[in-house]
Amino acid sequence: MTHSGAYVYDPDRPAGSLHLRAARVLEGNWTGTSTVPSHGLYPHQWSWDSAFIAIGLRHLSPLRAQTELETLLGAQWGDGRIPHIVFNPSVPLDAYFPSPDFWRSSTAGRAAGAPRTVQTSGIVQPPVHALAAWLVHQADPGLSRSRSFLSRMYPRLAAWHRYLLHRRDLGGGGLASVVHPWEQGMDNSPCWDAPLSRVTPAAPRSFRRADLDHGSAEDRPTDLDYGRYVRLATDYRDGGYADGAGEFAVEDPAFNALLIASEHALAAIAQELGAAGTARHARAERLTAALVERLWDPAEGMFFCRDVYGGDGRGGESYGGDARDEGESGALGSERGSRSGALAPEQHSAESSAHASERRSRQSGAHASEQRSRAGALIPERSVAGLLPLILPALPRDIAATLVRTAGGPHFGLGGVARLAPSYDLTGHAFDPHRYWRGPAWFNTNWLLERGLRLHGEHGRAEELRAALLETADTSGFAEYVDPYTGEACGALGFSWTAALTLDLLHEPARADQTDRPDRADRADQSTHVVSHPGHRAFDKAQGTPPHTSHASHTPHTPHSSFETGAKGGDRG
C-alpha cells in the first residue's frame, strides 16, 4: 500500500506468492483474445466466466480485461442475447460436447440474429456483464475513454438487458426466466429436479459426454440428467431458439439478482456517458420489488426458484404487461433523450435497431407465456442462489438480516461447520459434497456473498469469508470447486475465475465503508482506494500485449460502489 492508500500491483512479488500464481493461471488460460475456464474441460469462451475473469484481469491489465469483454460481446445475437459459449474454431469438435455442430447457431439461430462469422451456443448465462464492464472501466478510466470502451459496450449491454426483461419474462411477473439449467450456471442443482422431471431425456446413444474424459462420473451430472439437458437444448434449437415454447422455464433468484446489479451498473455507465441513469436505477428497484414479491419466502428465510410452468396456477401475483410496458417505454425514452449529446449517431442507430428487433421478436415468447400459468410454484430446495440477492443495495433491511442468519444457520453453515458456503443445503436430501452443484462450494458464489455481507454492514463476517476464500484458493490449486467442509479440490485445477476472483480479493481488502450505491459511484474523491498502473504496463509488456496510449491521466479514478470488486457456470452445455 502506498502512502496515499492506493493498492499497487507489484510485478516483483515473490515467485511463490498467491498473487503471482493467480496471475500465471490467467496467463496460461489466455488464448490471445479471451480466457478459457480451463484448457482441458472447458476449452472455449464462456459468458459469465469471462465477466468474472475480466473483473480479476483489470488488476493486471485493464486492456486485456476490456478485450475479454469485447470478444464476448462481439458474438452477441441480433435479438440481444449474449450466448453462453463462443467457440474457438481451432479446437477439435470432439473436445467438447455440445460442440458447434450441435448448436448450429448460424443456421438454426438465423431468425434470432445469430452471427454468421462465429459459432456460438444458443442459450445464455447470468448477466454479470454490465457490472464487469463498469468495474473494468474504473480500473483505468483514461484507457477506457481513449478507446471509447463504454460507449461501444453500452448499446450492446442495453440490448442484452432488453432481451432478458422482455423476451424472457415468461412468468409475466417482471423477472427473467431461464429456459435451460445451463443458463442459470448452477447446472446440476437439485432445484432443477422437479421441472426437469417433465422432460423426456434424449437417447443415450444420440450424444457422447466429453466431460467424463476430464472428471469422475461420481462428481458429474448423471446420464439421465444429461439426457434431459440434451433434449431441452435440441428442442430449443429445432424451434429456432424462440423463447416461451419449451417445457422448462424457471425464475431464479441469483440470475435475477445479477441482472438487477448489472442494471445499476448500466445506470453508472450511462452517467459516465453523459446521461442521467435515473430510469435504470428506478427499473432496478422495481425489479428488486418483483424479486421479493415472486421469490421470497419469509417462513423459510430465503429466496426460492419459481417453476413457471409448475404448480396449480396459484402462488404469486401477476404483474400486468400493460403497466410494465408503459413504465419501460417511458424510462427508455427519457434516458435516450438525455443521452442525445453523449453517444455517437451510429450508437443511437444501433440501439434503435435493437429496439425494433426486440419489439418484433419478443411477441412469440409473450404469446406462448400467455398460454401457460403465469404464477407457477416455488421449488422447495435451498440453493446458494437463494442467498445471493444480498448483493442488492435496495433489498429491504429485514430481508437482508434474515438472509445473513440463514447463511450462518444449519442449512449453509457459513462461519461455522462449512469453510465456504455450499451450493446446496447441507441438510438437504440431495446433498453431496463433491457432485457438481449439489453441495460443493464455488468461488464465484462465495465471492458474491462476501460482497453482499460487506454491502449490508456485516464487515466481520465478510472479512472471515474473504480470508477463507483466499486460503482455500491457495491450498486447492485454484480449484473449480471444493468440498465445503474440508476445502478439498474438486473438478479442474488452475481454474480461471477462481484465480481472477482471488486477485480481486487480494487487491480489494476490507474497507471501513462498502455501502455506497452504484448511483453514487461517481463520488470518487471521497476516501477511495485506487489501483496504480506501473504493474499494468509491466504485465502487458511481459505478455506481449501492445502498450496503450491514452491522452488522459493514468492516475486512475476508481469510484466505489456496492460492487467495487464485482463472478462460470455449471456443466456448461
Side-chain angles (χ1 to χ4, degrees):
M1 184 184 294
T2 67
H3 179 72
S4 65
Y7 295 105
V8 181
Y9 169 55
D10 178 6
D12 298 321
R13 294 188 185 193
S17 73
L18 182 62
H19 185 283
L20 285 187
R21 284 187 287 121
R24 288 194 189 104
V25 169
L26 294 179
E27 175 58 23
N29 289 340
W30 175 251
T31 69
T33 56
S34 65
T35 309
V36 299
S38 72
H39 278 291
L41 189 54
Y42 307 118
H44 301 285
Q45 183 180 25
W46 263 261
S47 173
W48 72 329
D49 289 73
S50 278
F52 289 133
I53 290 165
I55 289 168
L57 274 177
R58 70 190 172 119
H59 300 295
L60 302 177
S61 169
L63 178 60
R64 185 173 289 192
Q66 291 179 29
T67 302
E68 184 81 36
L69 295 173
E70 290 164 354
T71 300
L72 178 67
L73 268 68
Q76 185 174 24
W77 290 28
D79 65 1
R81 81 182 75 193
I82 297 175
H84 96 298
I85 303 175
V86 180
F87 289 107
N88 183 343
S90 67
V91 174
L93 290 178
D94 62 358
Y96 188 83
F97 178 85
S99 52
D101 56 340
F102 171 88
W103 295 103
R104 305 172 198 164
S105 61
S106 60
T107 53
R110 185 175 301 154
R116 297 182 180 181
T117 58
V118 63
Q119 295 296 310
T120 76
S121 65
I123 59 176
V124 303
Q125 275 191 324
V128 200
H129 311 90
L131 174 59
W134 177 240
L135 293 175
V136 168
H137 163 79
Q138 289 178 309
D140 191 338
L143 171 67
S144 176
R145 291 167 186 148
S146 71
R147 299 184 70 245
S148 301
F149 173 65
L150 289 183
S151 61
R152 289 184 290 110
M153 293 293 102
Y154 183 87
R156 292 181 177 273
L157 293 168
W160 168 223
H161 285 207
R162 282 195 300 274
Y163 168 79
L164 293 173
L165 291 169
H166 291 295
R167 285 285 300 277
R168 289 302 190 88
D169 183 10
L170 303 180
L175 301 181
S177 293
V178 296
V179 299
H180 195 292
W182 290 336
E183 292 197 313
Q184 191 266 0
M186 304 177 194
D187 309 355
N188 197 37
S189 170
C191 294
W192 317 135
D193 291 354
L196 276 178
S197 68
R198 299 191 296 266
V199 178
T200 302
R205 294 182 180 180
S206 65
F207 60 92
R208 177 188 172 276
R209 295 182 58 178
D211 63 315
L212 297 181
D213 296 339
H214 303 277
S216 168
E218 288 74 23
D219 294 346
R220 306 293 298 175
T222 65
D223 286 341
L224 176 61
D225 284 338
Y226 215 95
R228 287 170 169 152
Y229 302 154
V230 172
R231 171 65 66 191
L232 280 176
T234 300
D235 290 348
Y236 194 39
R237 176 200 68 198
D238 293 347
Y241 296 110
D243 295 309
E247 299 178 82
F248 185 99
V250 174
E251 295 171 354
D252 173 76
F255 190 101
N256 281 281
L258 288 168
L259 174 59
I260 296 166
S262 278
E263 188 70 13
H264 278 302
L266 204 55
I269 293 172
Q271 289 175 310
E272 165 68 21
L273 297 176
T278 53
R280 291 202 175 276
H281 283 307
R283 184 180 302 116
E285 294 185 1
R286 291 198 302 272
L287 288 169
T288 301
L291 184 75
V292 172
E293 175 69 21
R294 297 279 289 177
L295 306 183
W296 174 247
D297 188 328
E300 297 295 338
M302 65 181 300
F303 291 86
F304 287 91
C305 294
R306 182 175 292 277
D307 182 358
V308 173
Y309 301 155
D312 58 4
R314 298 189 300 273
E317 180 182 351
S318 174
Y319 287 70
D322 292 341
R324 185 183 70 255
D325 289 343
E326 180 181 354
E328 182 78 6
S329 174
L332 288 171
S334 171
E335 187 164 334
R336 282 200 303 274
S338 64
R339 285 204 312 270
S340 59
L343 302 181
E346 63 268 24
Q347 287 154 352
H348 282 294
S349 176
E351 191 155 3
S352 297
S353 175
H355 273 295
S357 173
E358 175 58 41
R359 284 194 297 271
R360 291 192 302 269
S361 62
R362 80 184 199 191
Q363 293 176 4
S364 61
H367 175 75
S369 67
E370 287 170 2
Q371 311 307 313
R372 310 262 193 169
S373 163
R374 285 176 175 256
L378 293 181
I379 300 171
E381 298 286 2
R382 296 180 181 89
S383 162
V384 70
L387 302 177
L388 295 188
L390 265 177
I391 65 177
L392 300 178
L395 196 68
R397 183 173 299 178
D398 60 328
I399 291 180
T402 301
L403 285 176
V404 172
R405 289 195 297 271
T406 300
H411 298 294
F412 295 94
L414 190 61
V417 297
R419 179 177 297 197
L420 299 176
S423 52
Y424 176 68
D425 183 358
L426 294 170
T427 69
H429 67 98
F431 175 78
D432 184 327
H434 289 176
R435 191 179 287 277
Y436 218 62
W437 289 109
R438 300 179 83 84
W442 294 72
F443 289 85
N444 63 329
T445 55
N446 278 270
W447 178 87
L448 287 167
L449 282 175
E450 194 268 354
R451 306 321 302 165
L453 289 168
R454 205 175 295 282
L455 169 64
H456 290 285
E458 296 287 341
H459 301 294
R461 294 176 188 264
E463 185 56 30
E464 288 178 6
L465 181 53
R466 174 179 174 270
L469 278 163
L470 291 175
E471 179 185 4
T472 306
D474 187 8
T475 58
S476 71
F478 304 103
E480 181 181 3
Y481 54 97
V482 298
D483 183 306
Y485 291 119
T486 67
E488 176 189 350
C490 302
L493 300 182
F495 202 73
S496 288
W497 78 13
T498 304
L501 298 179
T502 296
L503 283 170
D504 195 63
L505 291 168
L506 287 170
H507 276 266
E508 301 291 345
R511 292 186 295 269
D513 181 11
Q514 278 285 341
T515 59
D516 284 354
R517 283 177 40 160
D519 54 60
R520 300 199 300 271
D522 56 330
R523 302 177 186 177
D525 56 346
Q526 298 182 7
S527 185
T528 61
H529 298 283
V530 296
V531 180
S532 66
H533 291 100
H536 294 162
R537 295 232 177 175
F539 184 86
D540 288 340
K541 181 177 179 181
Q543 310 309 331
T545 306
H548 66 265
T549 301
S550 172
H551 299 292
S553 169
H554 279 275
T555 301
H557 173 101
T558 311
H560 290 299
S561 71
S562 56
F563 290 97
E564 187 51 29
T565 58
K568 147 194 149 9
D571 185 56
R572 301 164 171 272

